[in-house]
Amino acid sequence: QESLRIAIGEKPGVLFLDEADALSLDHLLPPPQAREASARLVAALCEKMDAVDAATARVLVVAAPSRTDVIDSSLVAPGRLDHLVEVTLPDPAGQQEILDLQRAKRERRAGRALFGQIDYGKVLPLMGGMSGGDISDILRRALEAKVHGSTDGASPPLVDTDDLLVAIETYKRVRGV
C-alpha cells in the first residue's frame, strides 16, 4: 500500500509486485488464518488501487505471480490488474537458446572459455518444464562443481555434457522438480 502511494507521488512510474502469489498467505499461516489475513491484505490493496485516478496517477501496476491459481479474483477485476499476459515455459528450442545465451554471458564475464562441447540431445530432454532461471542455476551449479573439483588453484576443466547432466539431476533432487 505504501509502495503504491510512493509510486503515485513519483509519477510516472511502474509498481512491480514480484511473486504476487505470495499475497495468498497459505505458505505462512494455517488455512483459516491465512484466508482471513490474505482477504484483509487483498481488500486493502484493492481499496488503494480503486482510489487511484488512472487519468492522473500515471502509474502502471504490474504483478508477476509464479502461480496464477492462487491469485485472488478481486485483484484481476477491471481497473485493477486487468490485462493478463501469460509467459509460458520455454520449449526445447527456447531452452537451447537460453543455454547458449547464458553460456556466452558467463564466458564473456570470465574472459575465457568455460564450457566444452554440449550434447543437447542428452541435456534438453531432462530440462522439460524448466524456466530460464532454472537453466541459469544449473549452469551455475555445474561451474561451481568444476571449480570445487579443481586442484591447487589450477584452471578448472571445461564444463561438458556429463557435468550438466549431474547438475540437472542435483537440481531436480534439491528443488523437487
Side-chain angles (χ1 to χ4, degrees):
Q1 297 171 11
E2 183 67 15
S3 298
L4 183 58
R5 186 189 64 72
I6 292 169
I8 292 168
E10 297 292 324
K11 63 186 169 192
V14 175
L15 177 59
F16 183 71
L17 305 173
D18 194 16
E19 300 294 334
D21 45 324
L23 291 171
S24 168
L25 302 174
D26 293 336
H27 61 290
L28 295 174
L29 301 169
Q33 292 170 322
R35 278 192 298 276
E36 183 181 325
S38 294
R40 282 196 313 268
L41 183 60
V42 167
L45 182 58
C46 288
E47 181 182 323
K48 293 292 184 190
M49 291 174 73
D50 290 344
V52 172
D53 180 1
T56 60
R58 298 184 56 201
V59 173
L60 175 65
V61 180
V62 178
S66 298
R67 294 184 46 209
T68 57
D69 60 317
V70 297
I71 296 293
D72 191 293
S73 60
S74 61
L75 282 172
V76 293
R80 294 179 184 154
L81 301 173
D82 54 5
H83 289 73
L84 303 177
V85 178
E86 182 178 1
V87 178
T88 59
L89 292 171
D91 62 6
Q95 289 175 325
Q96 181 173 342
E97 186 175 352
I98 292 167
L99 268 168
D100 290 339
L101 289 170
Q102 285 292 317
R103 285 173 59 182
K105 176 181 169 183
R106 290 167 191 272
E107 289 180 336
R108 221 177 13 260
R109 276 193 199 149
R112 65 181 185 85
L114 300 172
F115 298 90
Q117 194 68 21
I118 303 296
D119 183 347
Y120 291 112
K122 290 182 180 178
V123 172
L124 292 175
L126 297 176
M127 291 185 157
M130 290 189 179
S131 69
D134 295 326
I135 294 167
S136 180
D137 198 43
I138 287 166
L139 290 177
R140 179 187 59 76
R141 288 169 185 265
L143 285 165
E144 285 176 357
K146 279 294 190 185
V147 168
H148 291 298
S150 65
T151 58
D152 299 327
S155 186
L158 300 177
V159 171
D160 61 17
T161 300
D162 291 336
D163 299 315
L164 284 181
L165 294 174
V166 169
I168 291 167
E169 289 306 315
T170 302
Y171 183 79
K172 285 181 171 183
R173 194 171 47 254
V174 170
R175 295 286 305 225
V177 178

Short mmCIF file of all heavy atoms in Angstrom, two decimals, residues 99-128:
data_model
loop_
_atom_site.label_atom_id
_atom_site.label_comp_id
_atom_site.label_asym_id
_atom_site.label_seq_id
_atom_site.Cartn_x
_atom_site.Cartn_y
_atom_site.Cartn_z
N LEU A 99 20.32 -21.66 -22.92
CA LEU A 99 21.61 -22.26 -22.58
C LEU A 99 22.75 -21.55 -23.30
O LEU A 99 23.76 -21.20 -22.70
CB LEU A 99 21.62 -23.74 -22.95
CG LEU A 99 21.20 -24.73 -21.89
CD1 LEU A 99 20.97 -26.11 -22.51
CD2 LEU A 99 22.23 -24.83 -20.80
N ASP A 100 22.58 -21.35 -24.60
CA ASP A 100 23.62 -20.72 -25.40
C ASP A 100 23.87 -19.28 -24.95
O ASP A 100 25.03 -18.85 -24.84
CB ASP A 100 23.27 -20.75 -26.88
CG ASP A 100 23.33 -22.15 -27.48
OD1 ASP A 100 24.00 -23.03 -26.89
OD2 ASP A 100 22.69 -22.38 -28.53
N LEU A 101 22.82 -18.54 -24.68
CA LEU A 101 22.97 -17.15 -24.23
C LEU A 101 23.64 -17.08 -22.86
O LEU A 101 24.52 -16.25 -22.63
CB LEU A 101 21.60 -16.45 -24.18
CG LEU A 101 20.96 -16.14 -25.52
CD1 LEU A 101 19.51 -15.69 -25.34
CD2 LEU A 101 21.77 -15.09 -26.27
N GLN A 102 23.23 -17.96 -21.95
CA GLN A 102 23.83 -17.98 -20.61
C GLN A 102 25.30 -18.40 -20.66
O GLN A 102 26.13 -17.86 -19.94
CB GLN A 102 23.04 -18.91 -19.68
CG GLN A 102 21.73 -18.34 -19.21
CD GLN A 102 21.94 -17.17 -18.28
OE1 GLN A 102 22.79 -17.19 -17.39
NE2 GLN A 102 21.16 -16.13 -18.48
N ARG A 103 25.60 -19.38 -21.51
CA ARG A 103 27.00 -19.81 -21.67
C ARG A 103 27.85 -18.64 -22.16
O ARG A 103 28.91 -18.35 -21.60
CB ARG A 103 27.09 -20.96 -22.69
CG ARG A 103 26.62 -22.29 -22.18
CD ARG A 103 26.59 -23.32 -23.27
NE ARG A 103 27.92 -23.50 -23.88
CZ ARG A 103 28.16 -24.31 -24.88
NH1 ARG A 103 27.20 -25.03 -25.41
NH2 ARG A 103 29.37 -24.44 -25.36
N ALA A 104 27.37 -17.97 -23.21
CA ALA A 104 28.12 -16.85 -23.79
C ALA A 104 28.30 -15.72 -22.76
O ALA A 104 29.39 -15.15 -22.65
CB ALA A 104 27.40 -16.33 -25.03
N LYS A 105 27.27 -15.44 -22.00
CA LYS A 105 27.33 -14.37 -20.98
C LYS A 105 28.38 -14.70 -19.92
O LYS A 105 29.20 -13.86 -19.55
CB LYS A 105 25.96 -14.21 -20.35
CG LYS A 105 25.88 -13.22 -19.22
CD LYS A 105 24.47 -13.19 -18.67
CE LYS A 105 24.37 -12.43 -17.39
NZ LYS A 105 23.00 -12.47 -16.83
N ARG A 106 28.36 -15.93 -19.45
CA ARG A 106 29.30 -16.34 -18.41
C ARG A 106 30.74 -16.35 -18.93
O ARG A 106 31.67 -15.98 -18.22
CB ARG A 106 28.90 -17.69 -17.83
CG ARG A 106 27.61 -17.59 -17.02
CD ARG A 106 27.02 -18.95 -16.71
NE ARG A 106 25.69 -18.84 -16.17
CZ ARG A 106 25.41 -18.69 -14.88
NH1 ARG A 106 26.37 -18.65 -13.99
NH2 ARG A 106 24.16 -18.60 -14.48
N GLU A 107 30.92 -16.79 -20.17
CA GLU A 107 32.26 -16.81 -20.74
C GLU A 107 32.77 -15.39 -21.01
O GLU A 107 33.96 -15.11 -20.81
CB GLU A 107 32.28 -17.65 -22.02
CG GLU A 107 32.13 -19.13 -21.73
CD GLU A 107 32.13 -20.02 -22.95
OE1 GLU A 107 31.80 -19.55 -24.07
OE2 GLU A 107 32.45 -21.22 -22.78
N ARG A 108 31.87 -14.50 -21.42
CA ARG A 108 32.26 -13.11 -21.62
C ARG A 108 32.75 -12.49 -20.31
O ARG A 108 33.76 -11.82 -20.26
CB ARG A 108 31.05 -12.33 -22.16
CG ARG A 108 31.36 -11.35 -23.22
CD ARG A 108 30.18 -10.61 -23.84
NE ARG A 108 28.89 -10.68 -23.19
CZ ARG A 108 27.90 -11.49 -23.54
NH1 ARG A 108 28.05 -12.33 -24.54
NH2 ARG A 108 26.75 -11.46 -22.90
N ARG A 109 31.99 -12.75 -19.23
CA ARG A 109 32.37 -12.24 -17.91
C ARG A 109 33.71 -12.80 -17.45
O ARG A 109 34.52 -12.10 -16.86
CB ARG A 109 31.32 -12.60 -16.87
CG ARG A 109 30.17 -11.67 -16.82
CD ARG A 109 29.37 -11.94 -15.57
NE ARG A 109 28.04 -11.39 -15.68
CZ ARG A 109 26.98 -11.90 -15.12
NH1 ARG A 109 27.06 -13.00 -14.40
NH2 ARG A 109 25.81 -11.32 -15.25
N ALA A 110 33.92 -14.09 -17.71
CA ALA A 110 35.16 -14.75 -17.27
C ALA A 110 36.35 -14.39 -18.17
O ALA A 110 37.50 -14.52 -17.75
CB ALA A 110 34.97 -16.27 -17.24
N GLY A 111 36.05 -13.97 -19.38
CA GLY A 111 37.13 -13.65 -20.32
C GLY A 111 37.83 -14.87 -20.87
O GLY A 111 38.94 -14.78 -21.38
N ARG A 112 37.17 -16.02 -20.77
CA ARG A 112 37.75 -17.27 -21.30
C ARG A 112 36.64 -18.30 -21.48
O ARG A 112 35.53 -18.13 -20.99
CB ARG A 112 38.82 -17.81 -20.36
CG ARG A 112 38.30 -18.24 -19.02
CD ARG A 112 39.44 -18.76 -18.12
NE ARG A 112 38.94 -19.28 -16.87
CZ ARG A 112 38.49 -20.51 -16.67
NH1 ARG A 112 38.47 -21.38 -17.66
NH2 ARG A 112 38.07 -20.90 -15.48
N ALA A 113 36.98 -19.38 -22.17
CA ALA A 113 36.03 -20.48 -22.36
C ALA A 113 35.78 -21.18 -21.03
O ALA A 113 36.71 -21.42 -20.26
CB ALA A 113 36.55 -21.46 -23.39
N LEU A 114 34.53 -21.48 -20.75
CA LEU A 114 34.15 -22.22 -19.54
C LEU A 114 33.47 -23.54 -19.87
O LEU A 114 33.40 -24.43 -19.04
CB LEU A 114 33.20 -21.37 -18.68
CG LEU A 114 33.73 -20.04 -18.18
CD1 LEU A 114 32.61 -19.25 -17.52
CD2 LEU A 114 34.88 -20.26 -17.22
N PHE A 115 32.94 -23.61 -21.09
CA PHE A 115 32.14 -24.76 -21.49
C PHE A 115 32.76 -25.43 -22.71
O PHE A 115 33.23 -24.77 -23.63
CB PHE A 115 30.71 -24.33 -21.84
CG PHE A 115 29.97 -23.73 -20.68
CD1 PHE A 115 30.01 -22.36 -20.43
CD2 PHE A 115 29.24 -24.54 -19.82
CE1 PHE A 115 29.35 -21.81 -19.36
CE2 PHE A 115 28.57 -23.99 -18.75
CZ PHE A 115 28.62 -22.62 -18.50
N GLY A 116 32.73 -26.75 -22.69
CA GLY A 116 33.17 -27.53 -23.84
C GLY A 116 31.96 -27.87 -24.71
O GLY A 116 30.93 -27.19 -24.67
N GLN A 117 32.09 -28.95 -25.44
CA GLN A 117 31.01 -29.40 -26.30
C GLN A 117 29.85 -29.93 -25.45
O GLN A 117 30.07 -30.70 -24.52
CB GLN A 117 31.53 -30.52 -27.23
CG GLN A 117 30.63 -30.84 -28.38
CD GLN A 117 30.56 -29.70 -29.39
OE1 GLN A 117 31.43 -28.84 -29.46
NE2 GLN A 117 29.50 -29.69 -30.17
N ILE A 118 28.64 -29.51 -25.77
CA ILE A 118 27.45 -29.96 -25.05
C ILE A 118 26.56 -30.74 -26.02
O ILE A 118 26.25 -30.25 -27.10
CB ILE A 118 26.66 -28.76 -24.46
CG1 ILE A 118 27.53 -27.90 -23.55
CG2 ILE A 118 25.40 -29.24 -23.75
CD1 ILE A 118 28.03 -28.58 -22.31
N ASP A 119 26.16 -31.93 -25.62
CA ASP A 119 25.24 -32.75 -26.42
C ASP A 119 23.81 -32.40 -26.01
O ASP A 119 23.29 -32.88 -25.00
CB ASP A 119 25.53 -34.23 -26.17
CG ASP A 119 24.67 -35.16 -27.01
OD1 ASP A 119 23.67 -34.69 -27.61
OD2 ASP A 119 24.98 -36.36 -27.05
N TYR A 120 23.20 -31.52 -26.79
CA TYR A 120 21.85 -31.07 -26.47
C TYR A 120 20.83 -32.21 -26.52
O TYR A 120 19.82 -32.17 -25.83
CB TYR A 120 21.42 -29.94 -27.42
CG TYR A 120 22.19 -28.67 -27.19
CD1 TYR A 120 23.09 -28.20 -28.14
CD2 TYR A 120 22.02 -27.94 -26.02
CE1 TYR A 120 23.80 -27.03 -27.93
CE2 TYR A 120 22.73 -26.77 -25.81
CZ TYR A 120 23.61 -26.32 -26.76
OH TYR A 120 24.31 -25.16 -26.53
N GLY A 121 21.11 -33.22 -27.32
CA GLY A 121 20.22 -34.38 -27.39
C GLY A 121 20.09 -35.11 -26.07
O GLY A 121 19.08 -35.75 -25.78
N LYS A 122 21.12 -35.03 -25.24
CA LYS A 122 21.09 -35.66 -23.92
C LYS A 122 20.58 -34.69 -22.84
O LYS A 122 19.92 -35.11 -21.89
CB LYS A 122 22.48 -36.14 -23.52
CG LYS A 122 22.99 -37.32 -24.32
CD LYS A 122 24.35 -37.74 -23.83
CE LYS A 122 24.87 -38.94 -24.62
NZ LYS A 122 26.22 -39.33 -24.18
N VAL A 123 20.93 -33.43 -22.97
CA VAL A 123 20.65 -32.45 -21.93
C VAL A 123 19.21 -31.94 -21.98
O VAL A 123 18.51 -31.91 -20.95
CB VAL A 123 21.64 -31.26 -22.03
CG1 VAL A 123 21.26 -30.14 -21.11
CG2 VAL A 123 23.06 -31.74 -21.75
N LEU A 124 18.75 -31.55 -23.16
CA LEU A 124 17.44 -30.90 -23.26
C LEU A 124 16.26 -31.77 -22.82
O LEU A 124 15.34 -31.25 -22.17
CB LEU A 124 17.22 -30.36 -24.68
CG LEU A 124 18.13 -29.20 -25.07
CD1 LEU A 124 17.92 -28.81 -26.53
CD2 LEU A 124 17.91 -28.00 -24.16
N PRO A 125 16.24 -33.07 -23.12
CA PRO A 125 15.09 -33.86 -22.67
C PRO A 125 14.93 -33.87 -21.14
O PRO A 125 13.82 -34.01 -20.63
CB PRO A 125 15.39 -35.27 -23.18
CG PRO A 125 16.25 -35.05 -24.38
CD PRO A 125 17.10 -33.85 -24.02
N LEU A 126 16.02 -33.70 -20.41
CA LEU A 126 15.94 -33.69 -18.95
C LEU A 126 15.51 -32.33 -18.40
O LEU A 126 15.26 -32.19 -17.21
CB LEU A 126 17.30 -34.06 -18.35
CG LEU A 126 17.79 -35.47 -18.69
CD1 LEU A 126 19.19 -35.69 -18.11
CD2 LEU A 126 16.82 -36.51 -18.15
N MET A 127 15.43 -31.31 -19.27
CA MET A 127 15.08 -29.97 -18.84
C MET A 127 13.62 -29.62 -19.11
O MET A 127 13.24 -28.46 -18.97
CB MET A 127 15.98 -28.94 -19.53
CG MET A 127 17.40 -28.99 -19.08
SD MET A 127 18.33 -27.65 -19.84
CE MET A 127 19.66 -27.51 -18.68
N GLY A 128 12.82 -30.60 -19.46
CA GLY A 128 11.41 -30.33 -19.72
C GLY A 128 10.75 -29.64 -18.54
O GLY A 128 10.93 -30.05 -17.40
#
